[in-house]
Amino acid sequence: MNKQLITGIHHVTALADDAQKNVDFYTGILGLRMVKKTVNFDAPDVYHLYYGNETGSPGTIMTFFPFQGMMKGRHGKGQMTATSFSVPDTSLDYWLKRLKKFGIQHTAPQQRFDDELFIYFEDIHGLGLELVFNKEDQRPGFTYGQTPMEHAVKGFHGVALTEEGYERTAALLLQGMDHQLVKEKGNRYRMSASGVPGDFVDIIHSPQDSRGLGGSGTIHHLAFATPDDDTQLLVRDKLLSKGFNVTPVLDRQYFHSIYFREPGGILFEVATNPPGFAIDEHPAHLGEALKLPPWQEASRATIEKGLQPIQVNTDKFMD
Ligand code: ZN
């Protein structure tokens, strides 16, 4: 068998407005760890905030570009419209109470594929999120103490892409990116590279929807994981041979990346698992200092002056 070049989801990156509200929502209410505080390498006047589990493992990493005052986007087709987090099946009551406590509106619990229990809600910027209550996920959760360990988020469950058409995006995932169709029901087709929670990519075939518009509360891109630099080059060649316009390899400091648009218009990235977030910070202190890539260190004073100070306020979000 050929070596698997894509192993699952690496990270999800979204657009937001206020940076402090973003920190409070993800580290406070959801209880994730801030694993890196850096800047958008292409626009260093904007933060790039990374949240995840204790080490920031691929499959747990949610990242944001918070642009102060950014207009809200509109959800619709040609967008990734939901990011689902995995929590234990015994945690439904806990999370309903917690979201209510912090004033986060959510849907009633719903079933999907007959046996999957979830609730949908939106973050402080309007980004579509879900909690999926399940017992299949073997990964440990992470907590600073805001949520008890037995109810903590374990990482992603999966993501949902809302698409005008199904076939070409499915063909890309199935034939170009090592995914398999694991479930389908109605207009929802679930793909996965690993078959386990963390890596589900649902294509929702929804031609009647209006097109999404980028802005605060929308997804910027979805990144898939590849084992190393060699497998990344093989993926790149494969995508080029299928006619996709793929960027050269870009150094993102914590991983190396290539980007391209899938047939429905959503920006995809393929990121290497190494080197990871401990490359420039001790694992015990991830996310504490503003980290810049070596090529931007010379501009640190200017960059710091342009950024709104932010802090992790976990103590305000204890149960
Ligand atoms: Zn990315």
Side-chain angles (χ1 to χ4, degrees), residues 16-319:
D17 43 30
D18 186 74
Q20 185 61 53
K21 286 182 181 164
N22 186 258
V23 174
D24 285 345
F25 188 90
Y26 286 91
T27 64
I29 295 172
L30 283 192
L32 306 180
R33 182 178 194 189
M34 184 185 277
V35 292
K36 196 62 66 180
K37 179 164 65 175
T38 180
V39 293
N40 180 336
F41 291 178
D42 303 321
D45 55 332
V46 173
Y47 278 118
H48 193 181
L49 304 177
Y50 290 72
Y51 308 99
N53 69 359
E54 190 162 14
T55 55
S57 315
T60 73
I61 310 161
M62 182 86 199
T63 95
F64 288 89
F65 297 129
F67 292 83
Q68 189 66 43
M70 184 185 232
M71 296 272 287
K72 261 198 179 10
R74 184 180 75 200
H75 298 172
K77 68 188 176 192
Q79 262 183 355
M80 195 179 121
T81 46
T83 305
S84 301
F85 290 94
S86 174
V87 286
D89 63 327
T90 48
S91 297
L92 177 64
D93 290 345
Y94 171 82
W95 280 101
L96 292 179
K97 241 166 85 187
R98 184 167 175 81
L99 293 178
K100 187 170 178 202
K101 177 175 174 181
F102 293 107
I104 308 298
Q105 295 192 345
H106 56 81
T107 63
Q110 298 171 63
Q111 297 274 352
R112 189 157 53 205
F113 296 125
D114 303 324
D115 58 349
E116 186 170 291
L117 187 68
F118 72 98
I119 55 174
Y120 174 89
F121 56 104
E122 290 176 353
D123 78 0
I124 206 79
H125 319 285
L127 189 72
L129 302 177
E130 293 174 348
L131 287 176
V132 178
F133 302 89
N134 71 97
K135 47 173 166 274
E136 289 76 39
D137 197 337
Q138 302 300 314
R139 297 171 295 176
F142 170 74
T143 180
Y144 284 112
Q146 309 92 310
T147 55
M149 195 57 171
E150 70 263 32
H151 298 308
V153 170
K154 292 165 178 274
F156 295 129
H157 186 265
V159 300
L161 316 177
T162 298
E163 299 279 22
E164 160 96 27
Y166 157 75
E167 286 82 1
R168 289 197 299 149
T169 300
L172 164 65
L173 288 168
L174 294 170
Q175 291 148 33
M177 298 181 73
D178 297 328
H179 278 58
Q180 305 209 326
L181 179 67
V182 293
K183 273 181 184 172
E184 66 173 283
K185 188 166 189 187
N187 66 341
R188 181 179 286 260
Y189 302 82
R190 174 161 293 176
M191 312 283 172
S192 179
S194 72
V196 296
D199 296 319
F200 296 130
V201 179
D202 290 2
I203 302 177
I204 304 171
H205 183 207
S206 206
Q208 74 285 358
D209 282 14
S210 51
R211 277 202 88 76
L213 280 178
S216 176
T218 65
I219 295 295
H220 187 266
H221 62 265
L222 167 62
F224 294 87
T226 193
D228 54 41
D229 291 327
D230 294 336
T231 54
Q232 183 173 56
L233 291 176
L234 293 172
V235 177
R236 187 170 185 276
D237 286 346
K238 200 167 169 180
L239 292 167
L240 287 173
S241 75
K242 291 182 181 295
F244 290 95
N245 284 320
V246 191
T247 66
V249 175
L250 297 170
D251 183 0
R252 296 317 195 188
Q253 181 75 351
Y254 312 107
F255 39 84
H256 300 147
S257 299
I258 55 174
Y259 302 83
F260 63 101
R261 288 212 181 261
E262 57 86 29
I266 301 169
L267 186 61
F268 277 6
E269 173 181 349
V270 176
T272 55
N273 287 333
F277 296 103
I279 187 179
D280 61 359
E281 241 171 345
H282 188 279
H285 296 285
L286 291 180
E288 290 178 9
L290 177 72
K291 305 307 289 187
L292 297 175
W295 62 91
Q296 277 167 347
E297 271 301 340
S299 318
R300 176 174 282 274
T302 319
I303 289 173
E304 283 185 345
K305 225 189 312 173
L307 294 168
Q308 161 201 358
I310 49 173
Q311 55 176 1
V312 173
N313 296 312
T314 45
D315 50 317
K316 289 191 197 159
F317 295 94
M318 299 291 178
D319 275 315

